[in-house]
Amino acid sequence: MEAGARGGGGCAPAGGAPRGLLALLLLLLLLASAPLRLQAGELGDGCGHIVTYKDSGTMTSKNYPGTYPNHTVCEKTITVPKGKRLILRLADLDIESQTCASDYLLFTSNSDQYGPYCGSMNVPKELLLNTSEVTVRFQSGSHISGRGFLLTYASSDHPDLITCLERANHYLMTEYSKFCPAGCKDIAGDISGNVVDGYRDTSLLCKAAIHAGIIADELGGQINVLQRKGISRYEGVLANGVLSRDGSLSEKRFLFTSNGCSRSLSLDSDNQITASSSWQWVSEIGEQVLWSPGQARLQNQGPSWASGDSSKNHRQREWLEIDLGEKKKITGIRTTGSTQSNFNFYVKSFVMNFKNNNSKWRTYKGIGNNEEKVFQGNFNFRDPVRNNFIPPIVARYVRVVPKKWHQRIALKVELIGCQITQGINVTMVAVPLVLLLVLLSAGMGIFAAFRKRKKKGHSNGSAKAQKTDCWKQIKYPFARHQSAEFTISYDNEKEMTQKLDLITSDMVDYQQPLMLGTGTVTRKGSTFRPMDTEAAAAAAAAAEAGASSGACGHYDCPLSAGRHEYALPWASPEPEYATPIVERHLARAHTFSARGYRAPGSQQVHKHSLSSGSFFPAAAAGAAGAGGAGHPKPRSPAPSAPGYDRPKAGGCLSAEPDYQRPPRNDAYAAPRDGLKPLNQTAVTALL
């Protein structure tokens, strides 16, 4: 029994040994395969903050800037638009491994590989790749310390790319422009200041730009920075989800330049603000206080607007609506809570709705995910918070719809923006301008054609007049025309040579024989012969001039070839030739000489057209005084042959003629006393 029992007891350990060995082997296998399963299961879990957009983004390892976890892998493919090159900037790289065996950062593309990078290796701060796509791989093994990496990227359109960790004191220029990538808002780092006073130069550039509303965190963008002298204190505020801190004195500060659309949009009346409901509070003394929508202006003193329902589960959505009166560009909003210390009411988050006339309400959405964007509101009842709209809202009506609040919904608001710039309607300007140009062109063409036709008619008339063999009859003897023949005038002051002008013209008709004036005497060339009483004087003057110069007088000498002959007078019972009338000054109107009227003389005559002289009455008056009473008598001798030769009859002459020289005389002599009066017909013809 003992032996059996002893034997049975001896067999038990022999049977349990194989089972224990099997369990041990299974445990060892599990331990050996655990890292492989952990690594395969956590592929991608080693990635931290990642924000990507079309052409820029930011990427970090997990827990950055804390220690990255053990045995993790982060693998991410980043791209920029096709045709662009990829720019990578490593803001920070801290990997514990020195051999890059288990901990490293690697970039691979279809054709190239960059890395692996780890430890204390000399890693380039910027990589310009020859591709638009690259795969980022970060792997970690067992380690004790290490922050991992911080990477930013952009397309080659932005060679001035900076990282999220760059500060203003890294640059010495007073003005410069840089490109911030998307995703810098949640990167660790402090900023001090605000958009009005500026930011301390130790602040992160891109994070400060998001705080100021210059760029959106989802987009990134270009910033323009101005370096200025520092101030003694920087006030920190919450804006666009970024909290800036109060800062102390610094040597320099920086500000951002903007598009200028950042002024307060004022409201004309309280009626432009409405709400879904209002809270009516009864004070301890029984006074009723209405927290109405009209009190929702940020500049107003006293309590704000508050909703009528204080429960967290509202039966309806509460809202505060603002009517701007017209469509405007809204770039931001500032909000506060109740501003009353006894009423700790404020809105923690909200969304924005907007619309225009006769349109439906729309919700302002985010850029990347196309979902309604939730804005971070206030964190207390007192301090204002600013949120910018990138892109801006263009609308007349806007609503602030609270999402979360503390105790009760209470709001004061101020909208930021500007008037909409009215663009020029090209069509409205271009169409009238084109029509005006067409009308002007047509008018100029018609005018040119009419003028050409008129000029052609004149040339034809002149040609016909030159081809006629006889003089035209005078059709309108009483019509006045501008002189087309010649003008004789006299200058007695300095005994200047009398001149004769021949003015050519297309006119064939003869002109009026006289031009009457006061103060001066101007005699127009006439087709009428002088009076018979003047024939003797004219003949004598012609004889004297002919003896000295060998030329004949103006009336005695026959016309040369090509010049007009005298026109035949009209058949009339009146005297054959008209008697010239000379109008003198009123003071001498009846002063006449006893010897009659004589034509003036000439000392020298030009062969062709000569410039006319001038007649000076003062000189004539002096001559009259020297000769005694009345007008002085001319010095020319008595005529040798009274009368005038009859003009030749014939056709038109073609040769260039010479006019006769008029006899020289200092002045007109007074007509004789025995002149016959002119009849009415002659006077009418002369006038």
Side-chain angles (χ1 to χ4, degrees):
M1 295 292 296
E2 293 179 1
R6 195 181 295 120
C11 292
R19 289 196 298 269
L21 182 61
L22 182 61
L24 181 60
L25 292 175
L26 182 59
L27 179 60
L28 293 175
L29 182 61
L30 291 174
L31 292 176
S33 60
L36 297 177
R37 293 197 318 272
L38 181 62
Q39 179 176 351
E42 295 182 358
L43 183 63
D45 291 343
C47 297
H49 173 74
I50 298 179
V51 176
T52 61
Y53 192 58
K54 294 179 179 179
D55 60 349
S56 69
T58 302
M59 182 176 178
T60 69
S61 58
K62 195 170 185 179
N63 299 333
Y64 183 87
T67 304
Y68 60 90
N70 291 323
H71 307 292
T72 59
V73 173
C74 173
E75 189 170 296
K76 175 71 175 179
T77 299
I78 56 178
T79 61
V80 293
K82 291 184 178 180
K84 309 294 183 181
R85 300 177 67 183
L86 190 60
I87 301 176
L88 301 177
R89 286 186 64 91
L90 282 168
D92 189 17
L93 181 65
D94 182 21
I95 299 177
E96 186 181 67
S97 175
Q98 300 295 324
T99 61
C100 298
S102 58
D103 299 68
Y104 58 86
L105 179 65
L106 179 66
F107 305 102
T108 58
S109 65
N110 294 334
S111 57
D112 298 311
Q113 177 176 307
Y114 304 87
Y117 302 110
C118 65
S120 58
M121 296 178 59
N122 188 13
V123 181
K125 294 295 183 182
E126 180 176 309
L127 295 173
L128 179 59
L129 310 183
N130 294 321
T131 181
S132 61
E133 181 178 313
V134 70
T135 299
V136 181
R137 182 180 177 87
F138 172 70
Q139 181 173 319
S140 67
S142 297
H143 65 283
I144 298 175
S145 64
R147 294 184 304 274
F149 71 96
L150 170 60
L151 168 71
T152 59
Y153 72 92
S155 69
S156 53
D157 290 339
H158 309 290
D160 52 353
L161 170 70
I162 61 176
T163 69
C164 299
L165 297 182
E166 297 194 34
R167 303 175 185 271
N169 55 9
H170 295 168
Y171 300 93
L172 300 178
M173 299 89 72
T174 57
E175 296 184 15
Y176 54 90
S177 178
K178 298 295 179 180
F179 181 80
C180 289
C184 289
K185 184 181 77 170
D186 295 329
I187 299 300
D190 294 337
I191 62 172
S192 298
N194 55 76
V195 66
V196 177
D197 301 327
Y199 297 88
R200 202 173 192 272
D201 62 344
T202 56
S203 302
L204 299 177
L205 278 172
C206 294
K207 197 169 186 177
I210 297 170
H211 182 273
I214 303 300
I215 61 174
D217 183 56
E218 303 93 330
L219 300 177
Q222 201 77 24
I223 60 172
N224 298 306
V225 183
L226 303 175
Q227 292 268 18
R228 294 292 182 264
K229 185 179 180 181
I231 57 179
S232 59
R233 181 179 180 274
Y234 298 89
E235 182 182 359
V237 295
L238 176 63
N240 298 302
V242 177
L243 179 61
S244 66
R245 300 181 180 276
D246 293 340
S248 59
L249 174 67
S250 67
E251 182 181 356
K252 293 182 180 180
R253 63 188 170 105
F254 65 92
L255 300 97
F256 298 101
T257 61
S258 62
N259 55 10
C261 188
S262 57
R263 65 179 182 85
S264 175
L265 297 178
S266 60
L267 303 176
D268 296 332
S269 67
D270 294 341
N271 296 331
Q272 293 179 255
I273 306 177
T274 57
S276 56
S277 65
S278 298
W279 180 43
Q280 187 172 357
W281 173 69
V282 180
S283 66
E284 296 177 354
I285 60 175
E287 181 183 2
Q288 292 185 351
V289 179
L290 181 62
W291 296 53
S292 63
Q295 298 172 252
R297 299 188 191 211
L298 187 64
Q299 298 83 1
N300 287 356
Q301 300 296 325
S304 66
W305 164 75
S307 67
D309 191 355
S310 62
S311 63
K312 295 186 178 179
N313 298 320
H314 285 277
R315 292 187 301 271
Q316 62 177 0
R317 231 179 175 188
E318 299 289 340
W319 46 262
L320 180 70
E321 180 179 325
I322 302 172
D323 178 10
L324 295 173
E326 62 180 351
K327 185 187 295 185
K328 294 185 179 180
K329 184 177 180 181
I330 309 167
T331 58
I333 184 174
R334 297 177 67 211
T335 61
T336 65
S338 66
T339 66
Q340 303 297 307
S341 59
N342 295 332
F343 304 93
N344 191 20
F345 306 152
Y346 56 90
V347 174
K348 296 181 178 179
S349 64
F350 60 91
V351 296
M352 295 295 299
N353 294 343
F354 61 94
K355 75 165 189 172
N356 289 304
N357 295 331
N358 302 323
S359 64
K360 295 182 179 180
W361 288 101
R362 293 185 292 170
T363 302
Y364 188 84
K365 296 183 178 181
I367 300 171
N369 51 19
N370 201 29
E371 297 178 357
E372 68 175 14
K373 184 172 183 178
V374 179
F375 296 92
Q376 182 175 347
N378 299 88
F379 58 91
N380 59 37
F381 67 90
R382 180 186 61 252
D383 297 327
V385 172
R386 177 174 46 84
N387 282 277
N388 289 86
F389 306 134
I390 303 175
I393 297 174
V394 179
R396 173 180 175 177
Y397 303 95
V398 293
R399 278 184 179 179
V400 181
V401 182
K403 297 285 287 185
K404 295 181 180 180
W405 57 90
H406 181 72
Q407 294 185 9
R408 183 185 293 271
I409 296 174
L411 270 177
K412 284 187 177 182
V413 299
E414 179 186 42
L415 295 178
I416 302 170
C418 59
Q419 299 285 343
I420 297 176
T421 303
Q422 298 293 336
I424 298 176
N425 194 326
V426 179
T427 304
M428 295 181 63
V429 175
V431 171
L433 184 60
V434 170
L435 291 177
L436 179 61
L437 292 177
V438 170
L439 291 176
L440 287 176
S441 301
M444 293 176 64
I446 293 173
F447 177 76
F450 177 77
R451 188 172 182 181
K452 184 177 180 181
R453 183 177 180 182
K454 187 176 181 181
K455 187 179 294 184
K456 184 177 180 181
H458 282 309
S459 61
N460 291 340
S462 300
K464 290 180 180 179
Q466 293 174 1
K467 294 180 180 179
T468 56
D469 294 333
C470 300
W471 294 106
K472 292 174 58 180
Q473 295 295 329
I474 302 177
K475 297 182 180 180
Y476 307 100
F478 304 111
R480 288 181 177 268
H481 301 281
Q482 185 179 356
S483 174
E485 292 172 307
F486 56 86
T487 302
I488 300 175
S489 60
Y490 302 91
D491 188 352
N492 297 330
E493 185 175 358
K494 296 182 181 180
E495 298 294 328
M496 295 179 64
T497 304
Q498 298 179 358
K499 300 177 182 180
L500 178 66
D501 272 5
L502 179 62
I503 304 173
T504 59
S505 174
D506 292 337
M507 298 180 60
V508 189
D509 296 340
Y510 290 95
Q511 310 299 316
Q512 293 293 337
L514 294 177
M515 177 174 289
L516 305 180
T518 60
T520 59
V521 179
T522 305
R523 179 169 179 166
K524 292 289 182 179
S526 173
T527 62
F528 299 99
R529 287 200 321 197
M531 298 184 305
D532 293 338
T533 58
E534 295 174 327
E544 182 181 0
S548 61
S549 60
C552 53
H554 178 66
Y555 292 99
D556 295 332
C557 185
L559 294 176
S560 303
R563 295 295 182 185
H564 301 309
E565 299 179 5
Y566 285 108
L568 295 177
W570 290 92
S572 173
E574 303 297 333
E576 182 178 3
Y577 295 98
T579 302
I581 298 175
V582 180
E583 178 177 327
R584 297 189 179 272
H585 197 274
L586 295 178
R588 301 179 181 179
H590 303 291
T591 305
F592 296 95
S593 174
R595 298 189 58 181
Y597 169 83
R598 294 196 177 193
S602 176
Q603 199 175 39
Q604 182 179 358
V605 115
H606 292 278
K607 189 173 182 180
H608 298 291
S609 174
L610 301 175
S611 301
S612 60
S614 302
F615 174 72
F616 295 92
H631 292 279
K633 300 178 181 179
R635 305 175 203 172
S636 50
S640 58
Y644 291 87
D645 295 336
R646 304 290 284 180
K648 294 181 181 181
C652 300
L653 301 177
S654 59
E656 184 68 24
D658 290 330
Y659 277 95
Q660 294 174 332
R661 299 177 184 174
R664 177 184 176 188
N665 197 359
D666 293 336
Y668 286 107
R672 65 174 182 251
D673 298 333
L675 288 177
K676 295 180 180 181
L678 296 177
N679 57 30
Q680 187 65 27
T681 306
V683 173
T684 306
L686 292 175
L687 295 177

